[in-house]
């Protein structure tokens, strides 16, 4: 059997017993005992079994779709997934394509009917285990929030892992102080981002990557791979109250992947927790200015017909509608949000007028309509041609059916004549003997 080895390790698994290397070794030994042919393998490291958006699982699915795999080999079914419903659906997806899942340590095979009950029970156990672990992790994290324990300090600080003390990171703190100073001096958030990029100030993502040795989340970069300050990253610095020394956490709760934002009276506040970078007076002045400059919400009602439908091919950002005034006339144009917020160092200037889009859409709809009319006319012509030829074709079919009956009668006569001749020959042969 052609098998694909799949391994997975989450952050709550035993790294020695369930390491990716150990899982692979067990699966390879199992395949060798059975005489299976290993056609490929994939793995997911530090990924929860409740999450089915995994790179290794996508590679497995691609191999299944191309018909390269007869079976999937895992150390145990929990490696495939811990979400009971999602795992069952994925197993059904594999069954429909003739691919079985074989558990090396549990001896289970999804193509054996006698294993269906055990697989169902295992799914319930794996699902319960994952939810129980998640509940314990959330409880422990909540307790750390109550006690004021910081896991990852905000930009401008670093945590001494030996003492647990939060200290100021001088380079980042200077950038924070500069952002607040420029904003109170009248600079907008886009202008501040432009100046920080021109000065080469390190971004939060850049410092995080240097500290961790890798990028831990999606980051904004220029086309040549340089880290970039954006409107949003500056805004995040300006609203962060930690720079006044206050730790505020438990702002939201996550349950089954759904985030619930809590009211301020449910937050946990710890005064005097961080070293102060920005005074309370400065921070409050920034909040007042942000509130004054905030645009009123439109109730999430789209006012522009192409909003959310256009995407920049160069940077992947959506096009946002902008109202322009020219010589007393108002017009709407859609511009690349990446360029609008971050400037030409992030993306080129792309814009298109709403009237141009209207013309393009009308041209396309007109072409579709004309094509439909032509196809309808062609169908009508074919129907008329068929109506004219139908009596002739019906008569031809009737003649052919009569000819078929005639030929079948002749065949029957030949067979009867052949059978009679064979019987006479056999009688003569018996008489001579």
């Amino acid at each position: 059997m052609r098998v694909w080895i799949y391994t997975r390790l989450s952050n709550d698994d035993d790294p020695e017993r369930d390491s990716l290397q150990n899982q692979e070794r067990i699966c390879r030994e199992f395949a060798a005992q059975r005489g299976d042919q290993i056609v490929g393998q994939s793995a997911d490291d530090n990924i929860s079994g409740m999450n089915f958006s995994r790179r290794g699982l996508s590679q497995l699915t691609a191999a299944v779709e191309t018909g390269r795999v007869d079976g999937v080999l895992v150390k145990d079914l929990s490696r495939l997934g811990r979400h009971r419903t999602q795992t069952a659906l994925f197993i059904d997806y594999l069954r429909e394509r003739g691919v079985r899942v074989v558990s090396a340590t549990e001896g289970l095979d999804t193509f054996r009917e006698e294993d269906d009950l055990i697989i169902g029970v295992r799914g319930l156990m794996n699902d319960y285990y994952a939810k129980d672990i998640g509940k314990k992790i959330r409880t422990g994290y909540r307790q750390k929030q109550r006690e004021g324990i910081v896991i990852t300090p905000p930009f401008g600080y670093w945590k001494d892992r030996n003492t647990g003390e939060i200290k100021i990171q001088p380079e980042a703190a200077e950038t924070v102080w500069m952002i607040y100073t420029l904003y109170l001096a009248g600079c907008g958030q886009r202008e501040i981002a432009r100046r920080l990029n021109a000065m080469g100030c390190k971004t939060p993502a850049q410092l995080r990557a240097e500290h961790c040795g890798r990028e831990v989340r999606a980051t904004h970069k220029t086309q040549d791979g340089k880290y970039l300050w954006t409107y949003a990253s500056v805004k995040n610095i300006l609203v962060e109250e930690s720079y006044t020394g206050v730790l505020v956490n438990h702002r939201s709760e996550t349950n089954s992947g759904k985030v619930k934002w809590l009211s301020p009276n449910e937050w946990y506040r710890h005064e005097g927790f961080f070293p102060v970078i920005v005074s309370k007076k400065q921070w409050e002045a920034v909040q007042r200015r942000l509130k004054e400059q905030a645009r009123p919400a439109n109730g999430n009602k789209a006012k522009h017909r192409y909003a959310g439908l256009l995407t920049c091919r160069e940077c992947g950002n959506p096009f946002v509608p902008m109202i322009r005034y020219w010589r007393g006339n108002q017009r709407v144009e859609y511009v690349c949000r990446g360029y609008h917020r971050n400037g030409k160092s992030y993306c080129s200037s792309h814009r298109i007028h709403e009237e141009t889009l209207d013309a393009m859409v009308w041209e396309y709809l007109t072409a579709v309509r004309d094509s439909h009319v032509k196809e309808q006319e062609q169908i009508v012509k074919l129907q008329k041609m068929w109506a004219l030829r139908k009596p002739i074709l019906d008569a031809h079919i009737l003649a052919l059916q009569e000819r078929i009956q005639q030929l079948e009668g002749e065949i029957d006569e030949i067979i009867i004549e052949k059978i009679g001749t064979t019987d006479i020959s056999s009688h003569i042969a018996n008489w001579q003997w």
Side-chain angles (χ1 to χ4, degrees):
M1 186 171 66
R2 299 172 303 170
V3 297
W4 182 283
I5 294 178
Y6 176 73
T7 57
R8 181 187 62 82
L9 182 68
S10 64
N11 53 11
D12 59 320
D13 289 326
D14 187 344
E16 295 183 1
R17 184 190 65 184
D18 293 324
S19 67
L20 297 178
Q21 294 78 12
N22 189 37
Q23 293 181 47
E24 181 184 349
R25 178 183 59 79
I26 292 173
C27 292
R28 287 189 175 274
E29 291 177 355
F30 185 81
Q33 293 174 1
R34 290 162 47 99
D36 293 333
Q37 175 191 1
I38 300 174
V39 296
Q41 69 179 78
S42 59
D44 287 304
D45 191 10
N46 197 25
I47 301 293
S48 170
M50 302 295 282
N51 178 17
F52 269 71
S53 298
R54 313 178 216 151
R55 179 179 298 178
L57 214 58
S58 299
Q59 294 172 353
L60 165 61
T61 304
V64 170
E65 291 293 339
T66 56
R68 297 165 46 199
V69 180
D70 299 321
V72 178
L73 193 56
V74 293
K75 173 181 170 286
D76 56 69
L77 287 181
S78 66
R79 300 303 92 197
L80 192 65
R82 290 192 179 276
H83 194 288
R84 176 170 55 90
T85 305
Q86 293 286 351
T87 305
L89 289 173
F90 189 71
I91 290 175
D92 287 341
Y93 159 81
L94 295 175
R95 280 176 177 161
E96 290 175 357
R97 284 153 182 77
V99 178
R100 67 182 65 200
V101 179
V102 180
S103 171
T105 58
E106 298 166 326
L108 299 175
D109 188 335
T110 56
F111 272 24
R112 289 204 302 255
E113 293 183 1
E114 58 269 24
D115 288 348
D116 285 347
L117 179 60
I118 301 177
I119 291 172
V121 173
R122 288 283 184 185
L124 287 170
M125 293 172 60
N126 292 332
D127 188 270
Y128 174 79
Y129 173 82
K131 290 180 178 177
D132 184 59
I133 288 293
K135 182 179 179 181
K136 290 178 180 178
I137 291 175
R138 286 194 298 271
T139 302
Y141 188 71
R142 189 71 43 74
Q143 184 61 31
K144 289 182 179 180
Q145 289 179 330
R146 291 193 187 97
E147 296 174 0
I149 299 176
V150 173
I151 299 175
T152 304
F155 178 73
Y157 301 100
W158 68 281
K159 182 178 180 180
D160 190 331
R161 296 189 177 276
N162 296 323
T163 63
E165 184 180 0
I166 304 297
K167 300 180 180 179
I168 291 179
Q169 210 281 341
E171 183 180 5
E174 183 178 353
T175 303
V176 171
W177 180 83
M178 187 186 309
I179 290 173
Y180 275 80
T181 303
L182 289 173
Y183 189 72
L184 290 176
C187 290
Q189 295 163 66
R190 278 188 291 273
E191 174 64 18
I192 294 174
R194 188 191 65 79
R195 293 193 183 189
L196 294 177
N197 289 325
M199 296 172 61
C201 297
K202 292 184 178 181
T203 67
Q206 184 176 359
L207 286 177
R208 191 185 303 113
E210 291 177 358
H211 180 72
C212 301
R214 61 184 178 89
E215 293 181 357
V216 296
R217 65 184 66 175
T219 58
H220 290 280
K221 293 184 178 181
T222 60
Q223 299 176 12
D224 55 356
K226 294 181 180 179
Y227 289 90
L228 187 70
W229 281 94
T230 64
Y231 174 95
S233 55
V234 172
K235 177 72 175 293
N236 292 337
I237 299 294
L238 291 173
V239 299
E240 181 59 67
E241 194 176 359
S242 300
Y243 301 124
T244 65
V246 180
L247 170 63
V248 181
N249 49 28
H250 190 233
R251 301 184 185 184
S252 64
E253 292 181 347
T254 304
N255 189 13
S256 300
K258 297 181 180 180
V259 179
K260 175 186 175 183
W261 294 99
L262 305 176
S263 59
N265 58 354
E266 297 179 275
W267 296 353
Y268 301 149
R269 295 179 60 89
H270 304 274
E271 301 286 343
F273 187 89
F274 293 104
V276 176
I277 297 178
V278 178
S279 68
K280 190 74 171 180
K281 186 177 180 180
Q282 276 183 305
W283 186 82
E284 290 176 349
V286 167
Q287 305 315 302
R288 285 195 298 270
R289 188 161 185 263
L290 285 172
K291 189 175 181 180
E292 291 171 358
Q293 295 181 342
R295 297 179 180 178
N298 60 5
N300 293 328
K301 295 181 180 179
K303 294 184 177 180
H304 306 282
R305 47 186 167 273
Y306 301 109
L309 300 177
L310 307 175
T311 304
C312 178
R313 183 180 298 178
E314 187 173 338
C315 67
N317 274 280
F319 275 63
V320 293
M322 305 290 293
I323 299 177
R324 305 294 191 190
Y325 294 92
W326 177 255
R327 294 180 179 178
N329 297 322
Q330 175 181 310
R331 72 183 184 192
V332 178
E333 63 180 24
Y334 294 82
V335 300
C336 171
R337 188 175 68 178
Y339 172 80
H340 176 66
R341 287 192 170 185
N342 308 318
K344 61 183 179 181
S345 60
Y346 184 78
C347 188
S348 305
S349 175
H350 304 297
R351 65 187 65 240
I352 184 169
H353 295 167
E354 195 169 59
E355 293 84 355
T356 304
L357 290 170
D358 289 339
M360 293 172 64
V361 170
W362 180 253
E363 181 182 357
Y364 175 75
L365 291 176
T366 303
V368 171
R369 183 196 61 188
D370 295 342
S371 175
H372 177 72
V373 170
K374 291 180 179 179
E375 291 177 357
Q376 189 69 23
E377 292 175 352
Q378 187 68 21
I379 291 173
V380 171
K381 288 181 180 179
L382 291 174
Q383 288 176 341
K384 289 181 179 180
M385 290 176 59
W386 168 249
L388 293 173
R389 296 185 61 189
K390 185 176 184 302
I392 301 174
L393 294 175
D394 287 343
H396 186 59
I397 291 172
L398 183 59
L400 291 176
Q401 289 176 345
E402 293 176 352
R403 179 59 178 163
I404 290 172
Q405 291 178 358
Q406 181 183 353
L407 292 174
E408 288 177 348
E410 293 177 0
I411 291 172
D412 292 341
E413 292 177 359
I414 293 172
I415 292 174
I416 292 173
E417 182 180 353
K418 186 69 174 176
I419 292 173
T421 305
T422 304
D423 291 342
I424 293 173
S425 299
S426 61
H427 284 302
I428 294 173
N430 291 333
W431 177 73
Q432 289 178 348
W433 175 256

